[in-house]
Amino acid sequence: MEKRQEVSTWQEFLGQMIEDVPIRERMAEAAHMRSITLQRWASGISKPREENLRTLLKVLPTDSYAIFSRLVAVDFPDLLLEDPTIEQMHHELPSEFYARVLSALALTPLPMCRQTVQDLIFRQALEQLDPERRGLSLSLVCCVLPRHRGERVRSLREVGGVGTPPWPSDLAQKTMFLGAESLVGYIMSNARYAVINSREEQTFYPANWTQHEQSVAAFPISRYTRVAGGLLISSARAHFFTPARISLLERYAHLASLIFEPSEFYDFHAIDLRMMPPESVQTPYFRDFNQRVSRKLAEAIAAHGQLSLQEAHQLIWQDLEEELLQVFLQIGLQDQPD
């Protein structure tokens, strides 16, 4: 597909999209309007009503939504703030969902319970928050257990999640260490959620935008005022986090506390996050994870010790944490002027 030219108005961008006749016809049919209407909007002959633009936004391709919504917000600043019809769906969690979570806690064997509850919460959140699959990802972030008792938590780690296109449906294989440089690291140190609703938004929150993200939010996961990690949400849409959605996500973050064991929660004064290198630097360190675990188990056997697979995993994560903390320090030193 030919690269689109730079545009400054939503009319110009719409005009580029509908130059392709089949695309114009598909958009018009999906939005229940005539293709001539789209042409009249693009040329400025007529001005659409907000409800018509909301309908159009729902049928736009994912890669066009972010740019179009940003441009159209100039002429229609209230368009993306609230859609009363849609927002009514997002105020409460279904009562039957609470029942399913409680049933899982009561009836699922311990080795399977954690993953079962996590799957229930994340799948329900995705279905409720992105029923039209416009692009949303939810990731669970946990504190990395300090190597020695009494030490503070120095980093966090993504341990799973779910998504709709352009993200994969299962984010279980994605892992990354996060620290003070991240949005979820910020909320861990400040004990409250944080939202950045567009890439252009001026904010003092740390923002390390990844591919596809147009808005992002993070919520602490806590119990008895102690914290175990965070819920990280990314949307392919700007201005996704309306007040109703924020309120709903707080409820999901509270429910997510059921995923963790009591020993995984820390007092806020026990959190002392350091800086972690970017994802592109971290990725190579995870490639031989399984081999490192095997070596750790073999070393334990050679030393006539006992080490479970879970314990071996934990030791490797701690090793990787230390290595990446040192990598960040080395990057910082290299960036220092002579």
Side-chain angles (χ1 to χ4, degrees):
M1 183 177 179
E2 185 179 351
K3 185 177 181 181
R4 290 177 180 146
Q5 300 176 352
E6 292 294 325
V7 296
S8 58
T9 69
W10 65 269
Q11 292 96 332
E12 292 176 351
F13 189 73
L14 178 61
Q16 287 188 9
M17 282 193 291
I18 64 176
E19 283 178 354
D20 187 307
V21 176
I23 291 178
R24 181 172 70 238
E25 296 297 332
R26 285 199 300 270
M27 287 175 57
E29 182 180 0
H32 306 292
M33 61 183 64
R34 296 186 300 166
S35 61
I36 188 64
T37 301
L38 296 177
Q39 293 175 296
R40 291 170 66 85
W41 291 356
S43 62
I45 295 175
S46 64
K47 183 177 180 180
R49 295 194 298 269
E50 286 194 5
E51 55 266 33
N52 292 334
L53 281 176
R54 285 198 178 97
T55 301
L56 180 62
L57 281 167
K58 294 177 183 178
V59 302
L60 285 181
T62 300
D63 60 352
S64 300
Y65 182 95
I67 299 174
F68 185 81
S69 61
R70 173 172 57 82
L71 292 171
V72 80
V74 175
D75 293 336
F76 299 88
D78 296 332
L79 182 67
L80 302 175
L81 296 180
E82 289 280 343
D83 182 343
T85 302
I86 295 175
E87 286 301 307
Q88 289 176 1
M89 301 167 54
H90 294 296
H91 283 294
E92 299 294 340
L93 275 69
S95 58
E96 59 271 20
F97 167 64
Y98 283 111
R100 289 201 302 272
V101 172
L102 292 174
S103 177
L105 284 171
L107 303 176
T108 308
L110 183 58
M112 301 167 53
C113 188
R114 185 187 191 111
Q115 190 63 51
T116 300
V117 173
Q118 178 178 321
D119 290 345
L120 279 172
I121 293 173
F122 273 47
R123 295 297 175 185
Q124 174 67 30
L126 201 63
E127 180 180 335
Q128 189 171 12
L129 288 160
D130 192 21
E132 297 176 341
R133 302 178 64 81
R134 302 298 299 174
L136 192 70
S137 75
L138 297 96
S139 296
L140 187 67
V141 178
C142 72
C143 295
V144 176
L145 177 70
R147 189 178 294 275
H148 303 293
R149 183 182 297 274
E151 291 182 345
R152 293 185 176 185
V153 173
R154 300 186 297 172
S155 73
L156 312 168
R157 185 172 64 85
E158 289 189 54
V159 293
V162 295
T164 57
W167 285 281
S169 59
D170 186 359
L171 300 175
Q173 301 303 316
K174 182 179 183 294
T175 189
M176 181 180 175
F177 284 88
L178 301 166
E181 80 293 335
S182 66
L183 185 64
V184 69
Y186 174 88
I187 61 106
M188 291 287 289
S189 301
N190 291 271
R192 67 181 308 273
Y193 73 81
V195 173
I196 308 177
N197 247 328
S198 78
R199 288 177 178 255
E200 290 76 28
E201 182 176 320
Q202 297 296 318
T203 177
F204 58 85
Y205 297 143
N208 299 299
W209 296 101
T210 60
Q211 188 180 17
H212 310 309
E213 280 184 335
Q214 297 300 325
S215 56
V216 62
F219 296 78
I221 297 174
S222 58
R223 188 188 303 172
Y224 306 131
T225 72
R226 306 178 82 220
V227 65
L231 184 62
L232 183 62
I233 307 96
S234 301
S235 174
R237 291 180 276 175
H239 305 285
F240 175 81
F241 296 100
T242 61
R245 289 185 175 119
I246 290 171
S247 177
L248 183 65
L249 282 164
E250 280 193 293
R251 291 181 171 90
Y252 278 112
H254 294 161
L255 267 180
S257 68
L258 299 174
I259 297 170
F260 296 90
E261 296 296 325
S263 61
E264 296 177 277
F265 289 83
Y266 299 86
D267 293 326
F268 279 99
H269 65 73
I271 309 292
D272 183 21
L273 298 180
R274 311 296 175 83
M275 304 286 281
M276 278 289 178
E279 183 176 10
S280 59
V281 175
Q282 294 188 34
T283 301
Y285 286 82
F286 304 139
R287 289 174 183 162
D288 64 343
F289 181 85
N290 290 332
Q291 292 90 326
R292 294 177 68 149
V293 171
S294 297
R295 288 198 297 270
K296 190 72 71 174
L297 291 169
E299 291 169 3
I301 294 173
H304 305 288
Q306 291 186 344
L307 191 66
S308 69
L309 182 60
Q310 182 178 357
E311 290 170 336
H313 282 180
Q314 187 62 64
L315 289 172
I316 298 303
W317 289 127
Q318 291 168 339
D319 290 345
L320 286 167
E321 176 193 54
E322 182 60 35
E323 292 171 20
L324 291 171
L325 288 172
Q326 294 304 316
V327 167
F328 179 84
L329 292 177
Q330 292 171 10
I331 293 174
L333 289 173
Q334 292 172 3
D335 291 340
Q336 292 295 320
D338 294 334

